[in-house]
Amino acid sequence: MSGESRTYATYQEFCGNLEQPWVTRISEAVDWTQQETTRDQACIEAVLDTIGVPSASILHVGVGNSKFAQRFASRARRIDGLTVHQNEKTRADALGLPNYHVYILNKYSPGFVTVITNTYDFIIDNNLASFACCKHHFSVMFENYLRALTFHGQILTCQIGMDAYHGDFGWVMTYADLVSLERQL
């Protein structure tokens, strides 16, 4: 299906790999340690600036260059991050921010519940469907996110990021898809 746009509504139900979603594809993902902050990430950060994050706990999915943590660490109580890249974790650890902890973890992994034991006021994920291999693992991720949110917590994403996918590395989600998910959940 390379080169063809897939939406949530048309994506396969189950990839057949219960324990390790995208195990063969994840190593092909981009290392963002040396990249500039993306437009979608900048939009999310601008929203956080308007909301304010004093004493907030934040889960940042896809830490990339860790500039998000550098920007918000002094204002947030805690920032935990997820990455699938050792380079991104190494960069994050080298910053030495006391309230910033990064885990190498696939957001679709069933192991999420044993690694991520904190709750968060905000979960930041620029593209909810990136590296989604099927609706089953997407649902697992969403259930994990909902479990990890505080009572009034919010998941922040950006349509720019939701429109960006890498061929077979996920699918496009529209605003209508998100509204449909909200109704289901």
Side-chain angles (χ1 to χ4, degrees):
M1 296 183 102
S2 231
E4 142 185 348
S5 179
R6 292 181 283 180
T7 66
Y8 177 76
T10 61
Y11 209 75
Q12 69 178 339
E13 292 298 322
F14 181 56
C15 68
N17 193 347
L18 191 60
E19 294 301 314
Q20 296 190 13
W22 278 115
V23 71
T24 59
R25 301 279 190 184
I26 212 77
S27 63
E28 298 174 29
V30 177
D31 173 356
W32 290 93
T33 55
Q34 303 303 313
Q35 304 294 321
E36 289 301 316
T37 299
T38 59
R39 288 185 319 128
D40 50 326
Q41 182 68 37
C43 288
I44 292 169
E45 290 179 18
V47 168
L48 279 177
D49 278 335
T50 64
I51 294 172
V53 294
S55 301
S57 57
I58 301 170
L59 177 62
H60 184 206
V61 180
V63 299
N65 60 20
S66 286
K67 288 184 181 177
F68 174 87
Q70 290 174 297
R71 181 173 177 181
F72 289 99
S74 65
R75 296 183 258 172
R77 181 177 75 251
R78 165 186 207 90
I79 300 175
D80 288 342
L82 302 183
T83 183
V84 293
H85 301 284
Q86 182 60 52
N87 290 351
E88 291 180 5
K89 178 171 175 30
T90 300
R91 177 172 171 76
D93 292 346
L95 293 173
L97 300 171
N99 60 340
Y100 183 41
H101 308 280
V102 172
Y103 305 92
I104 295 181
L105 180 67
N106 180 336
K107 67 184 182 180
Y108 301 107
S109 170
F112 185 101
V113 295
T114 58
V115 174
I116 303 301
T117 57
N118 295 310
T119 56
Y120 303 95
D121 300 302
F122 299 100
I123 296 178
I124 309 302
D125 188 338
N126 298 29
N127 184 340
L128 296 170
S130 63
F131 296 97
C133 49
C134 63
K135 287 183 183 178
H136 168 77
H137 284 108
F138 181 83
S139 294
V140 167
M141 178 217 54
F142 226 85
E143 288 169 14
N144 289 336
Y145 282 8
L146 294 176
R147 182 200 52 78
L149 281 174
T150 59
F151 182 69
H152 291 288
Q154 299 176 44
I155 298 170
L156 300 180
T157 192
C158 178
Q159 192 64 56
I160 296 167
M162 298 294 287
D163 290 340
Y165 70 102
H166 305 286
D168 287 336
F169 293 121
W171 66 85
V172 173
M173 286 194 75
T174 65
Y175 180 75
D177 290 329
L178 291 175
V179 170
S180 175
L181 281 173
E182 177 186 31
R183 287 183 184 136
Q184 291 174 28
L185 300 170

